[in-house]
Amino acid sequence: MGFKDKLKNALVGILTNEELSALPRGFQTIGDVAIIKLNSILLEKKNLIAEKYLELLPSINSVYLNSGRVKGQFRTPEKIEYLVGVENSVVKHKEHGVLYKFDFTKIMFSMGNLSERKFLATLVKDGETIVDMFAGIGYFSLPIAKHSKPKRIYSIELNPESFKYLTENIKLNHFEDIIMPINGDSKEEVIELSQSGVKADRVIMGVFPAPKDFIREALTLTKVEGTVYHYEGIVDKEKYLALFDEFKEIAETSDFKCDLLGKRFVKSYGPRLYHAVFDIKVYKK
Ligand SMILES: C[S@@+](CC[C@H](N)C(=O)[O-])C[C@H]1O[C@@H](n2cnc3c(N)ncnc32)[C@H](O)[C@@H]1O
């Protein structure tokens, strides 16, 4: 029996038929917390419903309600509220052998990006120098350090709250010799890195909206042998190449040439919209 059916059974006689059929099919698990989304007709009974999650899921110790989106430059959750169980929003979440500690009411953690967090590490070759321009709490830097053998990862993060957990997570996972956290605006920090002689084999540009205004600065990290840029954004599936074209146009006017190595649709982002990633190899002309 699927989880929704179990939940329905547990709430028969408590919810109306209309409410029962509006129950959610799934939920997000972060550490030992279940984060649920509810149809507006269920909001009055949110605590009753949340109690049933606790009863049905032995490994879950608290239930929170997510009723907002991820917003703004720092990609923060709009509204995640405590419902039942232990009230503690700072979790240690394990994924692909990596521990991520963070406060999920203040910092996003998208389950839709799970495959990309895992996949990116498989592209990294031994000894690479990597710059993660929008590192967050280490979404990409940590699994790369865990599953590949890079020489150095420079992980830049602007939001002080995320940066605090980035530095903690580096220690928690024992990657102090590999990952160097940098608290600052990556638009400026990549120039500083480049001027101090750092050139990258790989540059990760993972933020929404697509960081078009950071491309010129990021290109200063390009190696003579070429550098792979992972450029993210939201695309209309019919016209998805527009995202690559925007990168290519800026690169070509800055005297670089681009080869498209690959592209992925990471998750759906709305009607016809997808979170996409382009792997672009860039060389000096
Ligand atoms: C939320 S992450 C997205 C990571 C990845 N796409 C994922 O979802 O797994 C993007 C991070 O970029 C940070 N950020 C935004 N603007 C920045 C800037 N100018 N310099 C450095 N970091 C920045 C945000 O604070 C946020 O932590």
Side-chain angles (χ1 to χ4, degrees):
M1 197 192 296
F3 181 76
K4 183 170 176 176
D5 289 326
K6 286 187 192 162
L7 190 60
K8 265 182 163 178
N9 286 348
L11 287 159
V12 170
I14 300 172
L15 301 188
T16 65
N17 282 347
E18 191 196 359
E19 289 168 340
L20 285 172
S21 51
L23 283 169
R25 203 164 287 132
F27 55 92
Q28 181 181 7
T29 309
I30 296 186
D32 60 358
V33 179
I35 300 179
I36 63 175
K37 288 187 177 176
L38 290 178
N39 184 306
S40 57
I41 68 163
L42 297 172
L43 289 179
E44 261 184 35
K45 297 183 179 157
K46 60 189 179 187
N47 285 63
L48 265 176
I49 297 168
E51 290 288 358
K52 295 296 170 197
Y53 274 78
L54 276 190
E55 279 173 35
L56 291 170
L57 302 163
S59 59
I60 293 300
N61 288 322
S62 30
V63 182
Y64 282 70
L65 175 69
N66 183 358
S67 48
R69 294 180 64 87
V70 175
K71 288 192 81 177
Q73 183 190 15
F74 290 162
R75 313 298 301 137
T76 43
E78 210 174 5
K79 191 175 178 202
I80 300 186
E81 66 181 282
Y82 165 76
L83 293 181
V84 294
V86 181
E87 189 168 4
N88 178 16
S89 56
V90 177
V91 284
K92 278 186 190 163
H93 179 73
K94 195 162 192 174
E95 181 187 278
H96 307 137
V98 171
L99 266 179
Y100 296 91
K101 182 177 172 190
F102 62 104
D103 182 336
F104 61 78
T105 62
K106 297 183 181 154
I107 293 168
M108 63 147 274
F109 195 87
S110 167
M111 295 321 283
N113 297 346
L114 186 143
S115 57
E116 184 62 12
R117 284 192 289 273
K118 190 173 184 186
F119 180 74
L120 216 51
T122 68
L123 299 178
V124 173
K125 301 191 184 68
D126 291 2
E128 283 193 2
T129 297
I130 298 169
V131 177
D132 186 355
M133 287 178 64
F134 305 92
I137 58 167
Y139 305 103
F140 294 123
S141 298
L142 296 169
I144 289 174
K146 175 84 186 175
H147 298 290
S148 316
K149 292 194 182 71
K151 185 168 132 208
R152 200 97 177 104
I153 306 175
Y154 299 93
S155 302
I156 309 168
E157 173 55 42
L158 183 57
N159 178 3
E161 183 77 18
S162 298
F163 185 76
K164 180 181 87 180
Y165 287 111
L166 172 65
T167 50
E168 253 192 81
N169 287 332
I170 292 168
K171 289 191 193 113
L172 204 59
N173 291 280
H174 311 294
F175 296 143
E176 294 94 326
D177 294 344
I178 304 171
I179 305 179
M180 182 196 273
I182 300 170
N183 188 199
D185 184 340
S186 58
K187 202 173 167 72
E188 290 151 21
E189 298 297 339
V190 289
I191 300 280
E192 273 203 28
L193 281 174
S194 160
Q195 285 176 350
S196 69
V198 173
K199 301 291 164 195
D201 296 288
R202 193 173 297 280
V203 178
I204 304 167
M205 302 179 75
V207 72
F208 297 153
K212 187 178 175 184
D213 292 343
F214 294 70
I215 296 173
R216 250 176 248 287
E217 289 77 6
L219 289 167
T220 63
L221 296 165
T222 305
K223 275 188 154 182
V224 179
E225 314 87 286
T227 294
V228 177
Y229 289 79
H230 301 286
Y231 189 61
E232 278 191 18
I234 307 296
V235 295
D236 180 328
K237 208 165 186 185
E238 309 288 300
K239 298 176 253 167
Y240 68 89
L241 276 174
L243 187 66
F244 168 62
D245 290 340
E246 111 184 351
F247 185 99
K248 187 173 170 202
E249 196 184 318
I250 294 175
E252 287 185 345
T253 55
S254 313
D255 238 14
F256 293 92
K257 60 184 170 112
C258 297
D259 281 347
L260 182 56
L261 301 181
K263 63 121 192 17
R264 291 173 294 290
F265 296 113
V266 176
K267 61 178 183 285
S268 164
Y269 206 77
R272 287 180 40 210
L273 295 180
Y274 285 84
H275 165 184
V277 185
F278 286 89
D279 307 328
I280 307 165
K281 182 119 190 193
V282 175
Y283 305 88
K284 194 88 192 143
K285 265 187 190 162

